[in-house]
Amino acid sequence: MTIQVCSTAEAAGRRAAAIVAGQLRRTPRLVLGLPTGRTSEAIYDELARLHARGRADFSKAHTINLDEFIGLQAGDPRSFRAFMQARLFERVNLRRGHTHFLNGRARDLERECRRFDRLIAGLGGIDLLLLGLGENGHIGFNEPAGALCAVTHRARLATVTRRANADRFGGRIAAVPREALTMGMAAILGARAIVLVATGRSKARAVHAMVAGKITTAQPASFLQLHPNVRVIVDDKSWGQVLDRSLGRPSQPRLRSKT
Ligand code: GLP
């Protein structure tokens, strides 16, 4: 695991976008795993800019989104699909049939999960997976629990997660769906390379647990310590808090130069 500390959240987003753009140049048929959430907005803004400048060509790439709420209507502006459409897909040259989602309205959700796992396998797995980080250490919607799930599955959302997503639902936690479909830990840890971005003070505790805590299902992101190719990109706010709280400077991960 390597850690890169950027001065701002925007700089962290630019750094992650530059990694994606570089990988697209090397591997035009890239299979790219994507998160949603506020953190990802800076990444997608920069990818749109890079695309406009001819520095990011998505024409042969595939994307696979990590998760989706259960029960929202098709085209619901609060869905992750709508978020991706507005934040990235309408701004770059991805082919429509190359953007892959879980369908949270499927009649048979179990079947939908199996379809998604087959889809990932059929694309040859994920080459590069971008991840955000939940305040409680979740990745995708793999929430802290006594046991984690390897395959794509139906997840019950933690209250802190529903609170973090309330903005999309008019600020009302009660309006946030209680369940979602999410990629499981196997597909996440099976990605050939992972770039996780976490910014802001609220993520400090989860960042520390991820990079220097014990590997535990209570902090799903801690399992990334087992992966051979993970880059963690943080900003001063999330990293500074880690140090300020005297939680100690993590010893295992390699700290990269500040950008
Ligand atoms: C959401 C998503 C995750 C995302 C995380 C962080 O609930 N399911 O994929 O990475 O929480 O979101 P944010 O960037 O808004 O803090």
Side-chain angles (χ1 to χ4, degrees), residues 35-39 66-67 80 132-134 138 140-141 161 165 203:
T36 49
R38 278 179 294 275
T39 316
L66 279 159
D67 44 22
F80 285 160
L133 178 66
H138 77 214
F141 273 138
T161 300
N165 279 277
K203 301 292 172 72

Side-chain angles (χ1 to χ4, degrees), residues 17-187:
I19 293 170
V20 173
Q23 199 56 48
L24 276 171
R25 285 192 287 277
R26 286 187 289 277
T27 316
R29 290 178 193 283
L30 193 69
V31 178
L32 182 61
L34 297 176
T36 49
R38 278 179 294 275
T39 316
S40 66
E41 292 178 5
I43 306 174
Y44 299 147
D45 285 349
E46 179 66 7
L47 280 175
R49 270 192 294 270
L50 290 169
H51 173 69
R53 278 194 256 127
R55 303 286 299 154
D57 176 13
F58 290 85
S59 60
K60 295 192 174 71
H62 282 260
T63 63
I64 306 178
N65 264 85
L66 279 159
D67 44 22
E68 180 60 282
F69 293 113
I70 289 177
L72 300 181
Q73 294 304 308
D76 190 313
R78 301 167 302 181
S79 67
F80 285 160
R81 186 190 285 263
F83 173 96
M84 290 307 305
Q85 205 59 40
R87 304 300 316 192
L88 184 68
F89 300 161
E90 283 170 5
R91 306 159 84 190
V92 299
N93 62 338
L94 269 159
R95 290 172 59 179
R96 205 181 166 76
H98 283 197
T99 59
H100 307 284
F101 278 93
L102 277 157
N103 177 5
R105 308 175 315 279
R107 220 175 317 147
D108 185 339
L109 293 172
E110 186 53 37
R111 199 165 157 182
E112 171 62 4
C113 291
R114 300 294 70 80
R115 177 195 72 82
F116 198 66
D117 282 332
R118 278 198 307 276
L119 174 106
I120 296 169
L123 287 170
I126 298 170
D127 295 313
L128 174 60
L129 175 61
L130 292 181
L131 287 177
L133 178 66
E135 283 173 39
N136 61 356
H138 77 214
I139 41 179
F141 273 138
N142 291 273
E143 297 279 33
L148 299 179
C149 196
V151 296
T152 299
H153 60 281
R154 185 174 185 161
R156 197 160 182 82
L157 301 181
T159 304
V160 62
T161 300
R162 293 177 68 220
R163 190 178 304 129
N165 279 277
D167 277 1
R168 299 187 64 69
F169 294 84
R172 292 179 51 233
I173 300 177
V176 181
R178 292 180 183 278
E179 290 185 299
L181 297 181
T182 181
M183 192 184 286
M185 295 299 286

